[in-house]
Amino acid sequence: MTTGLQTDGPAFLEVAGPAQSDWVLVCDHARNRVPITVAGGDLGLPAEDMARHIAFDPGAEGVTRALAAELGAPAVISTFSRLVIDPNRSEDDPTLLMRLYDGTIIPGNRHADATERARRIADWHRPYHDAVGAMLLRHPEALLVSIHSFTPQLRGRAPRPWHIGVLYAEDARLARPFIAAAEGETDLCVGDNKPYSGHLPGDTMDRHGVQPGRPHVLIELRNDLISTPETQSAWGRRLAGLLQVAKSQMEET
């Protein structure tokens, strides 16, 4: 992954799928790119920090692409670092534009004022969500799946034992059968609303799943398990099977 890419571009890219699909995939934190129009394309962090989970979700894009291929599903993938503006937060969330993350100060964000915040929302956050919304309008019956990854250990915190986390809020129609399917895999440690709670008003799943009443699930994979193209492809295949089982169980209830 290239860091600090010195060109602007669209806020999202789409992975094409069939005209009719049972699924739509999204990947909020796919890349660590900093557009040239944001702090000159440099947030003031060294490359090793931009390669960490604070800047993006390592491995998540590869898993999303592999899963899309397995399910025959379209996907919307963000193209900018979560440190530019976090697409998985509402526009009024205090953590939308982070100045400190997991013990690391973000120099390029320290002096970002309300005007800069509004500009980043308009240039990056809203176009991404507009693309997700448009994709879902084209697939009104599709189930929504969001792919993320999490770091094995935050600084100063205990190691995280889960291989996979399944996040959800009030609507657990897809999440519950997916958890059941994953827990049936004897080699998996499954986090039920871990390592985070899925209840975050205004986040991507709330905005595009909960509020419109669309079945959905957010899947978190521990990023050391998806660090290569081979493991990303393997997890894409594995998730596809689990999701298909969850869908069939959901339809039976």
Side-chain angles (χ1 to χ4, degrees):
M1 178 71 68
T2 300
T3 60
L5 188 63
Q6 296 297 300
T7 59
D8 272 0
F12 64 91
L13 58 85
E14 294 185 355
V15 175
Q20 301 295 324
S21 176
D22 292 335
W23 307 91
V24 167
L25 311 181
V26 295
C27 189
D28 295 329
H29 299 146
R31 300 186 178 186
N32 58 3
R33 181 172 72 100
V34 180
I36 191 66
T37 54
V38 176
D42 181 4
L43 290 172
L45 291 173
E48 55 266 30
D49 277 333
M50 289 301 295
R52 293 174 56 218
H53 71 101
I54 64 171
F56 73 128
D57 282 358
E61 179 177 356
V63 173
T64 301
R65 289 180 175 276
L67 181 58
E70 291 292 327
L71 292 176
V76 181
I77 294 172
S78 73
T79 64
F80 54 94
S81 171
R82 68 197 304 169
L83 297 179
V84 170
I85 200 82
D86 193 334
N88 195 34
R89 298 292 184 271
S90 67
E91 292 188 11
D92 59 356
D93 192 299
T95 65
L96 180 69
L97 197 159
M98 294 291 283
R99 293 174 171 81
L100 176 70
Y101 196 170
D102 194 19
T104 298
I105 294 172
I106 317 303
N109 289 346
R110 289 184 67 183
H111 304 295
D113 58 14
T115 299
E116 174 62 10
R117 176 187 173 104
R119 187 184 69 82
R120 295 189 197 182
I121 290 172
D123 288 351
W124 305 100
H125 191 277
R126 285 179 190 156
Y128 172 72
H129 282 285
D130 288 347
V132 173
M135 177 72 75
L136 292 171
L137 283 175
R138 297 196 295 272
H139 300 273
E141 303 301 321
L143 308 180
L144 176 61
V145 179
S146 180
I147 300 297
H148 288 252
S149 72
F150 64 94
T151 187
Q153 185 174 14
L154 292 171
R155 289 178 175 176
R157 305 286 184 88
R160 291 163 157 173
W162 311 285
H163 301 111
I164 182 172
V166 185
L167 276 57
Y168 57 94
E170 296 87 357
D171 184 348
R173 284 175 292 172
L174 180 57
R176 281 296 180 199
F178 181 82
I179 290 171
E183 288 180 338
E185 304 279 315
T186 58
D187 61 333
L188 289 184
C189 179
V190 181
D192 184 338
N193 258 339
K194 297 180 184 300
Y196 316 103
S197 168
H199 184 73
L200 185 61
D203 71 354
T204 300
M205 291 295 96
D206 181 67
R207 179 170 178 172
H208 298 289
V210 174
Q211 293 183 31
R214 181 186 297 265
H216 60 280
V217 66
L218 189 154
I219 299 170
E220 292 263 7
L221 297 170
R222 207 175 68 203
N223 65 33
D224 61 320
L225 303 178
I226 52 171
S227 61
T228 67
E230 293 76 20
T231 54
Q232 292 160 20
S233 293
W235 271 100
R237 292 191 296 272
R238 190 169 196 177
L239 292 179
L242 293 172
L243 284 165
Q244 295 286 25
V245 169
K247 178 176 179 291
S248 65
Q249 292 177 348
M250 186 181 72
E251 291 171 345
E252 292 172 0
T253 59

